[in-house]
Amino acid sequence: MDSETRRQKIIELLRGQEEPISGSQLAEQFGVTRQVIVKDMGMIKAGGHPLLATAKGYVLQKETDGLCRREIRVCHNREQIGDEMRRIVDLGGYILNTHVDHPIYGSVGESLRIKSRRDIQNFLAKTEETGCMPLLALTNGVHSHTIAAEDEQTLDEICMELKNVGYLLK
């Protein structure tokens, strides 16, 4: 099977899954190495598919019905996580995911689906009670989110707010 055909089959497989599929599982299924799968995933993402690499494997983000989406790159410390999230949701945005581009591990991320202050409170409580280090700690505060909103104007307002407080990177 050529690489383009394999990538199309991977996309079809991921579309039918709710849970992440590990690179090892994909490699075994397609008879290639895990490194080949990592390269395929890079090509799939570069092709515009909403692919997210999580600790449990790869998942295609489901399209958010009727919402506009934008990937933003931000930088702040652990203590500012709640502030950043509140600024996004208070302006009508949703935080669909977070990821970091690690120099050794590549893109590492997780689905968040935060749409309210209650979701933020639950997220912060979970990080506190588990003692887990947030992803931004791996990259000196630099990380990305896919955010969504009802319209592009709202996304622009969110980006302007994050820029004004110094979180948004170019």
Side-chain angles (χ1 to χ4, degrees):
M1 173 183 315
D2 66 60
S3 58
E4 189 57 38
T5 302
R6 183 179 57 250
R7 288 182 198 123
Q8 286 302 318
K9 291 195 176 291
I10 290 171
I11 292 167
E12 290 170 19
L13 181 64
L14 290 173
R15 279 190 181 133
Q17 294 289 123
E18 290 295 320
E19 295 298 316
I21 303 173
S22 74
S24 299
Q25 289 172 309
L26 290 168
E28 184 177 328
Q29 182 167 345
F30 289 100
V32 296
T33 66
R34 193 175 132 343
Q35 189 58 37
V36 169
I37 295 297
V38 170
K39 289 179 185 176
D40 284 344
M41 294 307 181
M43 294 298 292
I44 289 168
K45 188 169 186 173
H49 294 278
L51 181 70
L52 185 63
T54 74
K56 298 176 186 173
Y58 298 99
V59 64
L60 274 181
Q61 296 175 34
K62 304 298 182 211
E63 293 300 321
T64 308
D65 293 330
L67 296 179
C68 299
R69 300 161 62 105
R70 186 175 299 173
E71 182 155 333
I72 58 170
R73 193 160 182 230
V74 294
C75 182
H76 56 76
N77 63 37
R78 182 179 187 150
E79 291 73 31
Q80 295 167 314
I81 292 172
D83 181 59
E84 175 211 33
M85 291 178 163
R86 281 186 291 277
R87 289 175 189 277
I88 294 169
V89 300
D90 287 353
L91 287 169
Y94 304 92
I95 308 164
L96 302 179
N97 66 54
T98 187
H99 76 271
V100 296
D101 293 319
H102 193 274
I104 296 172
Y105 303 116
S107 182
V108 179
E110 190 61 63
S111 177
L112 294 177
R113 305 221 185 274
I114 291 177
K115 61 187 180 307
S116 68
R117 282 182 170 248
R118 177 182 286 160
D119 291 342
I120 295 167
Q121 185 177 8
N122 291 339
F123 175 83
L124 294 174
K126 188 171 184 178
T127 59
E128 195 63 36
E129 70 189 36
T130 62
C132 288
M133 185 172 59
L135 287 175
L136 61 82
L138 297 173
T139 53
N140 296 319
V142 176
H143 59 289
S144 298
H145 294 296
T146 302
I147 59 172
E150 296 291 332
D151 52 50
E152 290 292 333
Q153 180 180 348
T154 301
L155 291 175
D156 291 342
E157 290 172 7
I158 292 168
C159 288
M160 184 58 68
E161 176 69 14
L162 295 175
K163 181 180 178 185
N164 288 343
V165 295
Y167 296 160
L168 188 68
L169 300 175
K170 295 183 185 230

